[in-house]
Amino acid sequence: MFSCCQLQRNNKLIFDSYNECELIIESQVLFSKFVSEMHMQITGKEGKFVLSDNEKELEIDKVMEMIINPFSINLNDKKILGKLYSELSTLAMQEDMYMNTIELFNKIRSFITDIEQKSSYILETDSDFNIVNLFKAFGVQIESCNQNFFETVCQYMKVISQILCKKIFAFVNLRSYITDEQAELLIKEARYNEVNVLFIENIQRSCLNGCQQYIIDSDYCEI
């Protein structure tokens, strides 16, 4: 977890091991502009925000994840599966799994040869077939064990932090959908996974335990 991580434009938001952040922007114009600019930068475009760990500047798109629509969370989107398959392929070729992997491919080739002999066709196989192709063929993906929306959000945060190594999760208006108790549970889950949470809201609600509020009112003044 960041010991002192600053996300700044004109002002600074401070993350540490003891406090998460909630940024409340009461102006609709400023709120939409803030979210839009941050989202563009998180998706790899140029922007005005600076993320730093102490004095070291970090690449926002490599470290930060923004969730604007929590109902569209997909635990098995393309970027997650790509990294998952890469990690599983590495495991499959490690010393304790290598012989099993080679034996599996030999059995698959033998199976195809047997099928070819029983058919009336001359067959060929893809010479580039590898363990990733096998994962795709069997539809290997992360199982969603959760039964409700909030648990899915927590699992997504855990998966993204482990697979994509994201360390800050910015949730836009998430508190409109969850209770204060759930928000505090999310903070505890973030600390367990050694990541930070940034709540971006347009309405002020009760202050959460372990969360520092920053408020920009409708006159663009910081409170």
Side-chain angles (χ1 to χ4, degrees):
M1 183 177 290
F2 297 104
S3 58
C4 180
C5 183
Q6 304 172 17
L7 174 64
Q8 61 184 22
R9 194 176 180 202
N10 297 320
N11 303 310
K12 298 179 180 180
L13 304 180
I14 308 298
F15 299 89
D16 58 36
S17 300
Y18 306 99
N19 289 292
E20 305 303 327
C21 290
E22 180 177 16
L23 176 62
I24 301 153
I25 306 175
E26 295 180 345
S27 164
Q28 291 95 331
V29 173
L30 184 58
F31 179 83
S32 62
K33 185 177 181 180
F34 184 97
V35 172
S36 176
E37 289 185 6
M38 181 177 286
H39 180 261
M40 287 193 301
Q41 199 162 341
I42 288 174
T43 54
K45 299 180 178 64
E46 294 293 326
K48 299 177 181 178
F49 293 102
V50 175
L51 181 65
S52 61
D53 185 5
N54 292 321
E55 300 300 322
K56 180 182 179 181
E57 185 173 334
L58 306 173
E59 296 182 66
I60 289 181
D61 58 319
K62 298 293 192 297
V63 179
M64 196 168 185
E65 180 80 3
M66 174 177 272
I67 299 89
I68 297 176
N69 180 5
F71 297 102
S72 66
I73 284 175
N74 181 6
L75 293 170
N76 292 289
D77 67 17
K78 186 175 181 180
K79 63 181 179 180
I80 294 175
L81 287 183
K83 189 64 184 297
L84 174 66
Y85 291 164
S86 177
E87 288 188 16
L88 295 179
S89 297
T90 299
L91 292 175
M93 299 308 292
Q94 288 181 353
E95 185 177 356
D96 59 337
M97 288 292 296
Y98 180 77
M99 293 308 300
N100 288 341
T101 302
I102 297 302
E103 182 180 356
L104 174 61
F105 273 96
N106 288 336
K107 287 183 176 180
I108 292 174
R109 294 189 183 95
S110 178
F111 173 79
I112 294 174
T113 299
D114 291 342
I115 291 294
E116 179 184 30
Q117 291 176 349
K118 291 180 178 295
S119 74
S120 56
Y121 308 103
I122 299 175
L123 306 177
E124 65 177 10
T125 58
D126 186 353
S127 59
D128 293 329
F129 186 82
N130 54 41
I131 194 69
V132 170
N133 298 130
L134 190 64
F135 295 147
K136 291 179 179 179
F138 278 90
V140 174
Q141 60 181 8
I142 295 171
E143 181 180 9
S144 178
C145 303
N146 306 309
Q147 300 299 316
N148 62 58
F149 157 75
F150 177 69
E151 289 181 345
T152 299
V153 171
C154 290
Q155 185 182 8
Y156 181 79
M157 184 170 63
K158 180 178 180 179
V159 167
I160 292 292
S161 66
Q162 290 179 336
I163 291 183
L164 300 182
C165 300
K166 297 296 181 78
K167 294 299 182 182
I168 300 177
F169 290 80
F171 293 99
V172 179
N173 276 340
L174 180 63
R175 294 190 65 186
S176 297
Y177 311 113
I178 63 177
T179 66
D180 290 353
E181 291 76 13
Q182 287 176 320
E184 290 177 357
L185 284 174
L186 184 69
I187 290 173
K188 290 180 180 179
E189 186 71 16
R191 290 177 179 173
Y192 178 80
N193 290 292
E194 298 186 338
V195 298
N196 287 109
V197 168
L198 169 62
F199 295 105
I200 305 173
E201 304 284 331
N202 63 350
I203 297 175
Q204 183 179 7
R205 296 178 174 83
S206 59
C207 190
L208 300 170
N209 290 326
C211 190
Q212 177 68 45
Q213 281 190 343
Y214 297 83
I215 304 172
I216 301 176
D217 65 17
S218 57
D219 295 322
Y220 293 14
C221 296
E222 183 179 351
I223 302 175

